[in-house]
């Protein structure tokens, strides 16, 4: 029986410009941690090999230190690693792969498949048919040669490719590099290990995308996993099991707040998330002053609990109640302005909406002012 891990799209060197510097650095570091977890999983599961279906690196111009760190992160598994260049790290004439070889970063147990020719791994009973990208994009199906490729009888026949299976992925998939939907059948493959789609996806019984081992987008597509594959013998249907490898979960929510129970439900949802999540939260609707204060306190606590919490409140209006306004003890000119805004906010229309927003802003400022006791101390 052949037992191996299928992974892809490590994207080592990926940048996270939308995040705070500290969070961006932690998310970039998590790419290395994911590789270490893969190595540990491979050793724990006693697999015969680890197959990586492209985009090990996010760009060609990464530093030599990053190259050394990547291969050192793989040291937890002593068996064969089989790496395929993808669209982000294509096997150009002068590429990140040729530089990695030149600086001595690639260990002896790592096979970098830069040419479309079979790799025989007789010791584990497998033959790997790779379709390396030699440029970022191509309009040819680089797996076509699999159909006529000869491999010895008795070896499990595995394809390794990076691109878009025709008719299976959205048009916004990472690259147009096409792969025939029936390639596993026409090439008599026991398994076709794919990369490029960053989520977990089964195309057919023998064809799978593993997704990236560390989630990096707000998509609910099964990212943050690797595939453990078992094949009893050549021709047998593979058994495929997803194993979690990711460190951070990513959550993108839009919530509308209208009544107190909406706020309670939101805070319960936040509390139920695993610690150190990455959260993008958009809030709309309106809150009174007490609700806004409760929300601010809860979000402050959540920001300390999670890796990143980004909140957009541009559509969330502050709508103080009559009791809120009475508690502000505003008199004189300010009190007059508040009464005017109260009258103008009734009804619909742009003027009423502007008055509601202005009233909310003014009430918030008044609530945050220091008390007479604080001012005199």
């Amino acid at each position: 029986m052949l037992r191996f891990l299928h992974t892809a799209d490590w994207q080592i060197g990926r940048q996270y410009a939308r995040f705070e510097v500290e969070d961006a650095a932690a998310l970039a570091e998590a790419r290395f941690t994911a590789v270490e977890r893969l190595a540990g999983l491979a050793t724990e599961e006693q697999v015969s090999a680890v197959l990586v279906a492209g985009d090990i690196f996010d760009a060609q111009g990464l530093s030599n230190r990053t190259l050394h760190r990547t291969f050192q992160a793989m040291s937890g598994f002593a068996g064969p690693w089989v790496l395929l260049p993808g669209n982000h790290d294509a096997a150009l004439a002068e590429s990140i792969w040729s530089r990695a070889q030149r600086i001595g970063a690639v260990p002896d147990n790592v096979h970098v498949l830069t040419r479309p020719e079979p790799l025989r791994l007789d010791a584990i009973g497998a033959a790997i048919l790779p379709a390396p990208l030699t440029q970022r994009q191509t309009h040819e199906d680089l797996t076509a040669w699999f159909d006529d490729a000869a491999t010895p009888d008795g070896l499990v026949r595995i394809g390794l490719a990076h691109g878009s299976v025709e008719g299976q992925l959205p048009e916004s998939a990472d690259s147009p590099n096409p792969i025939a939907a029936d390639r596993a059948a026409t090439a008599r493959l026991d398994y076709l290990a794919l990369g490029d789609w960053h989520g977990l996806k089964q195309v057919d019984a023998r064809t799978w995308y593993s997704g990236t081992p560390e989630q990096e987008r707000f998509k609910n597509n099964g990212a943050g996993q690797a595939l453990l594959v078992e094949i009893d013998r050549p021709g047998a249907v593979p058994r495929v099991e997803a194993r979690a490898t990711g460190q951070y979960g990513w959550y993108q929510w839009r919530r509308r707040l209208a009544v107190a129970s909406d706020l309670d439900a939101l805070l319960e949802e936040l509390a139920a998330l695993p610690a150190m999540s990455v959260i993008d939260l958009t809030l709309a609707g309106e809150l009174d002053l007490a609700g806004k204060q409760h929300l601010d306190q809860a979000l402050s606590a959540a920001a300390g609990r999670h890796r990143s919490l980004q909140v957009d409140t541009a559509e969330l209006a502050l709508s103080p109640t009559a009791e809120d306004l009475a508690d502000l003890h505003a008199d004189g000119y300010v009190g007059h302005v508040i009464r005017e805004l109260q009258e103008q906010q009734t009804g619909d229309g742009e003027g009423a909406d502007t008055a509601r927003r202005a009233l909310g802003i003014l009430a918030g400022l008044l609530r945050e002012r220091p008390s007479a006791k604080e001012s005199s101390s």
Side-chain angles (χ1 to χ4, degrees):
M1 180 183 71
L2 176 63
R3 182 180 174 89
F4 61 91
L5 277 186
H6 165 200
T7 177
D9 299 290
W10 294 356
Q11 310 293 147
I12 298 294
R14 185 179 179 88
Q15 300 297 306
Y16 297 87
R18 65 167 290 177
F19 296 96
E20 297 292 335
V21 172
E22 178 184 350
D23 296 329
L27 294 173
E29 185 66 22
R31 316 307 298 183
F32 294 104
T33 303
V35 179
E36 293 172 351
R37 291 186 176 194
L38 287 167
L41 178 62
T43 297
E44 178 184 346
E45 294 291 345
Q46 299 181 335
V47 302
S48 300
V50 179
L51 309 186
V52 191
D55 281 2
I56 289 83
F57 300 105
D58 194 58
Q60 294 282 354
L62 302 180
S63 69
N64 289 352
R65 179 175 183 267
T66 296
L67 298 185
H68 281 292
R69 285 196 65 196
T70 301
F71 290 106
Q72 288 167 8
M74 298 160 60
S75 64
F77 175 64
W81 295 78
V82 181
L83 311 185
L84 181 81
N87 59 311
H88 283 258
D89 53 6
L92 311 175
E94 173 59 30
S95 70
I96 196 167
W97 299 109
S98 57
R99 180 155 53 91
Q101 295 282 0
R102 189 165 57 248
I103 66 175
V106 184
D108 292 340
N109 65 323
V110 174
H111 304 270
V112 180
L113 306 187
T114 59
R115 293 193 296 268
E117 57 189 32
L119 171 69
R120 287 180 53 175
L121 296 174
D122 294 319
I124 66 171
I128 313 297
L129 305 180
L133 285 165
T134 56
Q135 57 190 30
R136 188 176 179 90
Q137 295 182 358
T138 178
H139 297 289
E140 298 179 7
D141 185 347
L142 299 181
T143 68
W145 76 273
F146 293 179
D147 290 0
D148 299 321
T151 55
D153 294 338
L155 296 184
V156 172
R157 189 174 164 97
I158 300 173
L160 191 61
H162 188 90
S164 300
V165 173
E166 295 173 343
Q168 293 290 321
L169 301 182
E171 292 182 0
S172 60
D174 277 356
S175 74
N177 305 305
I179 298 171
D182 60 349
R183 182 61 64 206
T186 61
R188 306 173 308 285
L189 300 176
D190 296 298
Y191 187 82
L192 177 54
L194 297 176
D196 189 34
W197 179 244
H198 285 204
L200 176 63
K201 185 175 182 62
Q202 179 182 5
V203 176
D204 58 41
R206 300 182 185 275
T207 307
W208 291 72
Y209 285 96
S210 66
T212 177
E214 182 64 43
Q215 189 172 356
E216 86 289 58
R217 299 174 185 175
F218 292 107
K219 291 185 177 180
N220 185 22
N221 60 3
Q225 303 185 89
L227 296 178
L228 179 63
V229 183
E230 294 181 341
I231 304 176
D232 288 331
R233 60 189 178 279
V237 176
R239 295 183 296 275
V240 182
E241 180 180 342
R243 293 296 180 88
T245 54
Q247 182 176 357
Y248 300 120
W250 289 52
Y251 304 89
Q252 188 172 51
W253 294 347
R254 179 181 175 86
R255 299 292 184 267
R256 175 166 289 276
L257 306 178
V259 295
S261 59
D262 294 338
L263 178 58
D264 292 338
L266 169 65
L267 300 185
E268 287 179 6
E269 282 186 292
L270 280 174
L273 287 178
M276 299 305 286
S277 295
V278 179
I279 307 166
D280 179 66
L281 176 62
T282 299
L283 296 177
E286 59 183 32
L287 286 176
D288 60 20
L289 290 186
K292 181 62 163 58
Q293 185 177 39
H294 188 196
L295 174 65
D296 289 345
Q297 291 174 344
L299 291 179
S300 179
R305 180 172 179 262
H306 293 291
R307 176 67 272 164
S308 174
L309 174 61
Q310 296 181 323
V311 185
D312 182 353
T313 59
E315 299 177 54
L316 181 65
L318 188 58
S319 182
T321 64
E323 291 77 9
D324 288 333
L325 296 174
D327 289 342
L328 295 176
H329 303 294
D331 51 18
Y333 175 73
V334 175
H336 173 73
V337 171
I338 288 178
R339 287 190 293 273
E340 287 287 329
L341 291 173
Q342 281 182 290
E343 293 176 2
Q344 295 174 20
Q345 73 171 343
T346 57
D348 299 321
E350 184 177 348
D353 184 62
T354 300
R356 280 193 292 270
R357 290 180 179 276
L359 182 60
I361 293 171
L362 179 56
L365 291 173
L366 290 172
R367 183 160 189 161
E368 293 173 1
R369 66 184 174 178
S371 65
K373 182 178 179 180
E374 291 174 331
S375 300
S376 62
S377 61

